[in-house]
Amino acid sequence: MNKSTFVKKTTMFLNTLDFVKKPVVFDELDSTNLTAKALAKAGAEEGTVVIARTQSHGRGRFDRIWQSPLGGIYLSLVLRPSVPIQQASLLSFMTALVVAKTVRSYGPQAMIKWPNDVRVKGRKIAGILLESEGDGSKVDYVVVGVGINLSIDLKNLSSALQGKSTSLLNELPCPVDYYDFLKTFFRTFEHFYTVFQGQRYEEILTEWKAWSDTLGKRVKVKTMTGTLQGTAYDVDHSGFLLLRTEKGDTKKILSGDCLYFDELDHT
Ligand code: BTN
């Protein structure tokens, strides 16, 4: 597909989806999250979707680079949920659940690693970057950035990432159609967003827990202030990870990089 065909075809397709109010499609962009944030600050309505065929400066959590070769899905959604700001972070749990369910509907046994990495057999297949603004009590906007390794050739990722990543193409005998995947994703997103707007947060967290392989595991979590280790035993109503340390203390972690002991190289 050439450049302008992608833009035209994707715009037409997104216009058929109820959830998408305004599609903004690019062949190549620095980062869909950057553009979505600029649009949100300028007043873009809920349901604005920025999507690109590739990104030159895709961003991940902790300011990492999100490598964005051809064949992946790179999109950012503008949301304006009418909920208190402290609930907004649950949207990243919700989105991980939506992506995991979408991936699994094509076969691969997707699981979620706290807070929102979607993985298949321990290899990352999708990542979510939530960025929001608001004033203490009310959300102004939330940008939900989603990167999915749909049909990427793993050889187009850096060698450091190749061993830790997978794609649907790598997991299945036949490629999954880009638009078919998007349709399933948005349909599932719309369903869970209605649950979220109805403040039925427990429903989302209960499902998230069923789809996550983090709870019960011995983990090492790198946070802004240091590294904590222990057994992950629960996630509270705001998405904090509850850890029981070897000394028996309980730690509540808002954000961090979670590593599983059984996947660490102890040599
Ligand atoms: C992570 O670190 O796991 C989150 C990765 C999020 C990547 C997506 S790709 C679309 C959107 N635009 C970006 O620059 N980042 C997100």
Side-chain angles (χ1 to χ4, degrees):
M1 204 188 304
N2 67 33
K3 286 183 181 191
S4 67
T5 314
F6 175 81
V7 174
K8 273 190 213 141
K9 195 171 168 188
T10 308
T11 307
M12 267 172 61
F13 167 76
L14 290 174
N15 273 323
T16 66
L17 304 179
D18 285 346
F19 191 78
V20 180
K21 296 294 173 262
K22 187 174 182 351
V24 184
V25 184
F26 295 86
D27 190 66
E28 186 184 332
L29 197 59
D30 46 3
S31 152
T32 57
N33 260 40
L34 278 180
T35 299
K37 274 199 296 179
L39 291 171
K41 283 181 210 280
E45 63 182 316
E46 166 154 298
T48 299
V49 172
V50 181
I51 193 161
R53 188 154 76 134
T54 59
Q55 298 181 118
S56 55
H57 291 86
R59 292 163 53 243
R61 294 173 67 223
F62 307 113
D63 258 334
R64 293 187 186 125
I65 291 168
W66 183 261
Q67 295 174 22
S68 311
L70 278 176
I73 291 180
Y74 311 108
L75 67 86
S76 301
L77 265 156
V78 176
L79 301 175
R80 297 193 185 273
S82 41
V83 299
I85 191 104
Q86 53 291 8
Q87 300 302 340
S89 62
L90 279 187
L91 283 168
S92 75
F93 290 77
M94 187 200 97
T95 307
L97 181 61
V98 168
V99 173
K101 282 188 175 245
T102 306
V103 168
R104 224 188 263 193
S105 71
Y106 294 96
Q109 292 298 295
M111 300 294 291
I112 308 167
K113 178 157 75 80
W114 181 86
N116 56 25
D117 280 354
V118 181
R119 309 192 315 160
V120 172
K121 296 185 224 135
R123 290 167 177 237
K124 189 153 163 170
I125 199 160
I128 290 139
L129 179 65
L130 205 81
E131 300 187 88
S132 58
E133 245 180 58
D135 68 7
S137 61
K138 202 179 145 290
V139 175
D140 177 15
Y141 69 81
V142 180
V143 165
V144 182
V146 186
I148 302 162
N149 298 341
L150 184 74
S151 298
I152 68 166
D153 183 341
L154 298 179
K155 288 203 247 23
N156 292 329
L157 295 176
S158 66
S159 51
L161 273 191
Q162 283 180 25
K164 302 186 205 163
S165 310
T166 192
S167 65
L168 265 95
L169 187 66
N170 192 50
E171 298 296 327
L172 294 171
C174 302
V176 170
D177 180 72
Y178 186 89
Y179 299 103
D180 193 75
F181 190 96
L182 281 180
K183 197 172 179 175
T184 314
F185 168 80
F186 279 109
R187 204 190 306 124
T188 316
F189 194 96
E190 188 168 12
H191 166 76
F192 280 100
Y193 192 54
T194 307
V195 173
F196 179 85
Q197 289 277 48
Q199 306 197 2
R200 286 149 55 201
Y201 308 128
E202 265 319 302
E203 235 169 281
I204 293 170
L205 280 170
T206 304
E207 278 233 52
W208 182 94
K209 287 179 196 177
W211 284 70
S212 171
D213 56 6
T214 302
L215 301 185
K217 277 224 157 62
R218 283 190 66 221
V219 298
K220 195 178 215 178
V221 189
K222 294 184 186 161
T223 72
M224 304 280 267
T225 51
T227 301
L228 293 163
Q229 60 186 60
T231 303
Y233 71 91
D234 206 357
V235 165
D236 78 2
H237 59 279
S238 302
F240 285 74
L241 182 68
L242 304 180
L243 202 72
R244 186 156 297 120
T245 68
E246 260 109 71
K247 285 189 190 153
D249 304 333
T250 293
K251 303 277 180 199
K252 208 167 148 178
I253 309 171
L254 164 66
S255 142
D257 218 2
C258 180
L259 305 168
Y260 295 166
F261 259 89
D262 59 14
E263 292 178 4
L264 289 172
D265 184 3
H266 296 290
T267 54

